[in-house]
Amino acid sequence: MTPSTSRRNMLRGSVATAALAVGPALAGTAHAAPSPGTPHVGILLYDGYSLLDPTGPAEILARLPGASVTMIAEKRGAVRTDTRDVAMVADRCIAEVDRLDVLLVPGAGNRGTLGAMNNQALLDWIRQIHRQSLWTTSVCTGSLILAAAGLLEGKQATTYWASAEYLQSAFGVTYLPQRYVHSGKIITAAGVSAGIDMALYLAYLIAGEDTARAIQLAVEYDPHPPFDSGNAADADTPLRQRALELLAASQA
Amino acid sequence: MTPSTSRRNMLRGSVATAALAVGPALAGTAHAAPSPGTPHVGILLYDGYSLLDPTGPAEILARLPGASVTMIAEKRGAVRTDTRDVAMVADRCIAEVDRLDVLLVPGAGNRGTLGAMNNQALLDWIRQIHRQSLWTTSVCTGSLILAAAGLLEGKQATTYWASAEYLQSAFGVTYLPQRYVHSGKIITAAGVSAGIDMALYLAYLIAGEDTARAIQLAVEYDPHPPFDSGNAADADTPLRQRALELLAASQA
């Protein structure tokens, strides 16, 4: 192997040749998967979203065969996160998008979530897209925004752990403390990082188990956090307080 | 509780009052943590990076007390991912940044990784920042870029599973199949999602265990993927082939 061949194949490791040989067969399998063949995923950005909420699922869903992922906002252009340190680009505005296979609504801190819940143009657009979507999904407090749009009434759903009481009391939703909750064509995920687990489940629903398992390997999702403190049900009050303190302090 | 109070506190749940009461004490604890008091984290974006590589760690590190996270690229402006579907904004160009507490270099597909490895301006900048950084870190094939900059010679490191052979053979690095590898002030993470685990470990190094555990709860990182296929060591050849096929097909 020459150095340049080696470089070109550096991401393929020892299976490079075999992978090329079976490419067409694999592609055939992928296209034989359940609906839709080329899923169009749209992620709604709004001022103050939390960065991992859209990007975790985007990383997963972009690997679905034939998929496209589009960041969408009320206006095109840069949309800043809750910390205001980071921005993603919305390549489309809501007026340009009238149909999606998958809609994903990320969560945010208080400011961003309230802003979206009170933005009638966004809520109207969510309702419009939901009418024809195959899947309508949320991460973290994104479920509060779906609820504000009237999509969760009488349903089971999940949300960020610290928002569970509010989701139940304000919207009559039955909160389930799960990583994700599948209710009809709506799938809600718990806080922030739970969007990754939800997206793998959605990949399974869209393209089947083999593809979902392969995507999990593609993003090397074999989580081993150094601590085990991510579940609010196991956290004592000081830990919960400190988590919310850190969030509040980081948010602009 | 009036509806508007309820809305304002919707992210605080039942610990809202207590959290406000202990806020100053918690802040004091945070500021008493190890170095640095206000970590400046810089993440290098380049054409073709994988979206979760910078955003997973950014979500974690942004919650460190006093932290700022800046996306940096050769030129300011939108920088597109491997799929070209999504872009983040680089708010600073490398010429504007001569010092960082934490440098993070994300990974990419073949095109993006090779592009960065062959970009002398980027490599020079990485070396310059590394000279004074407290921590120099990478996710996925970002370790190949650190290696191309000469930072990993004779060291132990990790990388994306399919790049392990190349990292060893091309750069004389000892590959360890771990989620992250800490070698002096360099910490490398395995593929894509491993950046989240690495960032929690780095949060622990910077701010101590209590803060790292609280950040993990803040992003509700209690992973429960629907499958267990994320570890390449446990994957058979067809699964590895399919994972690389899906990656290659999704990358522009």
Side-chain angles (χ1 to χ4, degrees):
Chain A
M1 198 185 277
T2 66
S4 98
T5 312
S6 166
R7 279 212 163 185
R8 220 173 292 128
N9 290 329
M10 70 192 167
L11 298 185
R12 300 178 180 275
S14 56
V15 298
T17 313
L20 290 172
V22 301
L26 285 175
T29 309
H31 287 299
S35 66
T38 54
H40 187 191
V41 178
I43 299 182
L44 179 64
L45 300 182
Y46 54 87
D47 187 44
Y49 66 95
S50 299
L51 184 60
L52 187 53
D53 291 30
T55 58
E59 180 67 54
I60 302 291
L61 300 174
R63 310 309 174 188
L64 283 167
S68 65
V69 175
T70 306
M71 297 292 167
I72 304 161
E74 195 167 6
K75 296 177 184 172
R76 285 192 188 195
V79 187
R80 297 225 155 244
T81 62
D82 53 358
T83 66
R84 294 203 192 277
D85 276 353
V86 174
M88 277 200 294
V89 176
D91 285 308
R92 291 284 177 273
C93 66
I94 56 176
E96 297 175 294
V97 179
D98 59 8
R99 188 165 181 147
L100 293 168
D101 295 312
V102 177
L103 167 65
L104 186 141
V105 179
N110 266 318
R111 175 178 60 84
T113 305
L114 278 174
M117 289 171 70
N118 289 319
N119 184 327
Q120 289 307 318
L122 286 191
L123 299 184
D124 285 345
W125 181 80
I126 289 170
R127 281 187 285 264
Q128 176 201 336
I129 296 297
H130 176 66
R131 262 178 237 122
Q132 299 196 303
S133 71
L134 296 175
W135 302 103
T136 298
T137 69
S138 66
V139 179
C140 201
T141 61
S143 58
L144 298 178
I145 301 167
L146 295 187
L151 306 190
L152 294 186
E153 206 178 316
K155 289 200 161 57
Q156 297 181 321
T158 190
T159 189
Y160 190 54
W161 57 267
S163 304
E165 284 183 14
Y166 179 71
L167 180 67
Q168 297 207 108
S169 63
F171 296 106
V173 173
T174 304
Y175 167 73
L176 298 182
Q178 299 173 186
R179 291 297 278 174
Y180 46 85
V181 172
H182 182 168
S183 178
K185 73 174 187 179
I186 297 179
I187 310 176
T188 51
V192 194
S193 63
I196 300 172
D197 296 344
M198 185 271 283
L200 282 168
Y201 175 68
L202 183 57
Y204 154 73
L205 294 176
I206 291 174
E209 179 169 340
D210 286 355
T211 296
R213 293 178 70 92
I215 292 175
Q216 185 173 349
L217 179 59
V219 301
E220 207 163 343
Y221 188 44
D222 176 38
H224 283 86
F227 307 107
D228 61 355
S229 57
N231 187 333
D234 301 330
D236 59 20
T237 301
L239 183 64
R240 289 174 169 230
Q241 286 170 345
R242 192 168 173 79
L244 297 175
E245 248 285 312
L246 288 168
L247 270 185
S250 68
Q251 288 165 349
Chain B
M1 197 186 275
T2 65
S4 100
T5 311
S6 166
R7 278 210 163 184
R8 220 172 292 130
N9 290 329
M10 70 194 168
L11 298 183
R12 300 175 181 277
S14 57
V15 298
T17 313
L20 290 173
V22 300
L26 285 174
T29 309
H31 286 299
S35 67
T38 55
H40 186 191
V41 178
I43 299 181
L44 179 64
L45 300 182
Y46 54 87
D47 188 44
Y49 66 95
S50 299
L51 183 61
L52 187 53
D53 291 32
T55 58
E59 179 67 53
I60 301 291
L61 299 174
R63 311 308 174 187
L64 283 167
S68 65
V69 175
T70 306
M71 297 293 168
I72 303 161
E74 195 167 6
K75 295 176 185 173
R76 284 192 189 196
V79 187
R80 297 225 155 245
T81 63
D82 54 357
T83 66
R84 294 202 192 279
D85 275 353
V86 174
M88 276 199 295
V89 176
D91 285 308
R92 291 284 177 272
C93 66
I94 57 175
E96 296 174 295
V97 179
D98 60 7
R99 188 166 182 148
L100 293 167
D101 295 313
V102 178
L103 168 64
L104 186 142
V105 179
N110 267 317
R111 175 178 61 83
T113 306
L114 278 174
M117 289 171 69
N118 290 319
N119 184 327
Q120 289 307 318
L122 285 192
L123 299 184
D124 285 344
W125 182 80
I126 289 170
R127 280 187 287 264
Q128 176 200 337
I129 297 296
H130 176 65
R131 262 179 237 123
Q132 299 196 304
S133 71
L134 296 174
W135 303 103
T136 298
T137 69
S138 65
V139 179
C140 199
T141 62
S143 58
L144 299 178
I145 301 167
L146 294 187
L151 306 190
L152 294 185
E153 207 177 315
K155 287 198 162 58
Q156 296 181 321
T158 191
T159 188
Y160 189 54
W161 57 267
S163 303
E165 285 182 12
Y166 180 70
L167 180 67
Q168 297 207 107
S169 63
F171 296 106
V173 173
T174 303
Y175 167 74
L176 298 181
Q178 298 172 187
R179 292 296 277 174
Y180 47 85
V181 173
H182 182 167
S183 178
K185 73 174 188 180
I186 297 179
I187 310 176
T188 51
V192 194
S193 62
I196 300 172
D197 295 345
M198 185 271 284
L200 283 168
Y201 175 68
L202 183 57
Y204 154 72
L205 293 176
I206 291 174
E209 179 169 341
D210 285 355
T211 297
R213 294 178 69 93
I215 293 175
Q216 185 173 350
L217 179 58
V219 302
E220 207 163 344
Y221 187 44
D222 176 37
H224 283 86
F227 307 107
D228 60 357
S229 58
N231 187 336
D234 300 331
D236 60 18
T237 300
L239 183 64
R240 287 173 170 232
Q241 287 170 343
R242 192 168 172 80
L244 296 175
E245 248 284 311
L246 288 169
L247 270 186
S250 67
Q251 288 165 348

